[in-house]
């Protein structure tokens, strides 16, 4: 398995897609019931293959990722050949930007000495999807990129 198995809730949301997946392999509902009962290892393999297919589809569409922790914000733009990063670090450890109060302070004090900006560019490894997946596993979320674009405009001035 390349990525991770979908959660029970994700499988429930993708119930129809899973049925279609089984149908593409000519597995009927009755056969699936029999496989789950009598060949659980085969059922596990099918769940893993389906999970990887879903992850491949999702990751191929990811353009922006964000990872926000109490004192840092990492904003990623996933371009075709590389990733760009805008990182912000709060040097005042009494500020927690994951709280409403901390984020308000952050917005009002962007240009203070307590906020450091960094930018970087990194080429993908041989597996672009896995590079994105690792960031998600580390806590990044898929976004539309509003924060990235805002800070890109700010740091490019």
């Amino acid at each position: 398995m390349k990525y991770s198995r979908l959660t029970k809730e994700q499988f429930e949301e993708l119930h129809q897609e899973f049925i279609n997946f089984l149908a593409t392999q000519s597995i009927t509902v009755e056969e699936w019931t029999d496989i789950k009962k009598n060949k659980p290892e085969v059922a596990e393999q099918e769940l893993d293959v389906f999970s990887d297919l879903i992850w491949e589809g999702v990751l191929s569409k990811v353009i922006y990722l964000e990872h926000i922790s109490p004192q840092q914000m990492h904003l990623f733009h996933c371009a075709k050949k590389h990733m760009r990063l805008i990182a912000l670090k709060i040097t005042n450890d009494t500020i927690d930007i994951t709280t409403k109060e901390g984020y308000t302070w952050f917005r009002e004090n962007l240009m203070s000495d307590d906020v450091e900006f960094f930018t970087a560019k990194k080429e993908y490894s041989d597996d672009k999807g896995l590079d994105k997946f690792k960031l998600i596993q580390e806590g990044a979320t898929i976004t539309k990129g509003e924060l990235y674009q805002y800070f890109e405009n700010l740091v490019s001035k």
Side-chain angles (χ1 to χ4, degrees):
M1 184 163 170
K2 186 173 179 180
Y3 300 110
S4 68
R5 183 174 297 169
L6 299 174
T7 64
K8 184 178 185 224
E9 294 78 15
Q10 290 168 324
F11 272 111
E12 287 169 2
E13 285 289 320
L14 297 166
H15 179 74
Q16 188 58 52
E17 288 82 354
F18 186 65
I19 290 170
N20 295 344
F21 166 76
L22 293 175
T24 62
Q25 299 185 58
S26 302
I27 299 174
T28 65
V29 174
E30 297 79 19
E31 289 172 319
W32 178 243
T33 304
D34 181 61
I35 289 170
K36 287 193 303 185
K37 181 179 177 187
N38 299 314
K39 299 178 187 170
E41 68 284 348
V42 174
E44 298 285 319
Q45 290 172 353
E46 293 296 337
L47 295 172
D48 290 347
V49 170
F50 178 73
S51 294
D52 278 348
L53 284 172
I54 294 299
W55 274 114
E56 285 287 340
V58 168
L59 294 168
S60 71
K61 296 175 183 150
V62 169
I63 298 173
Y64 295 100
L65 292 166
E66 294 176 3
H67 187 251
I68 301 173
S69 59
Q71 270 82 43
Q72 296 186 43
M73 181 181 293
H74 293 93
L75 309 171
F76 299 91
H77 176 229
C78 305
K80 286 188 179 193
K81 296 186 181 200
H82 59 267
M83 266 190 226
R84 290 198 174 277
L85 166 68
I86 297 174
L88 298 97
K89 181 179 178 183
I90 312 303
T91 58
N92 179 341
D93 59 7
T94 64
I95 305 299
D96 179 348
I97 61 174
T98 63
T99 66
K100 185 177 181 181
E101 300 79 22
Y103 194 75
T104 299
W105 176 94
F106 172 64
R107 286 193 349 232
E108 293 170 355
N109 294 279
L110 272 179
M111 296 305 170
S112 82
D113 289 341
D114 288 327
V115 180
E116 297 176 351
F117 287 83
F118 305 93
T119 59
K121 176 181 160 185
K122 179 183 177 191
E123 302 297 320
Y124 291 114
S125 69
D126 291 338
D127 192 333
K128 185 190 316 189
L130 203 52
D131 292 344
K132 295 175 187 179
F133 182 75
K134 286 177 184 174
L135 290 172
I136 292 168
Q137 289 293 94
E138 293 168 2
T141 56
I142 301 167
T143 70
K144 293 180 181 175
E146 286 107 351
L147 271 177
Y148 182 92
Q149 292 166 4
Y150 174 80
F151 285 107
E152 182 180 45
N153 288 335
L154 198 63
V155 296
S156 64
K157 289 183 178 180

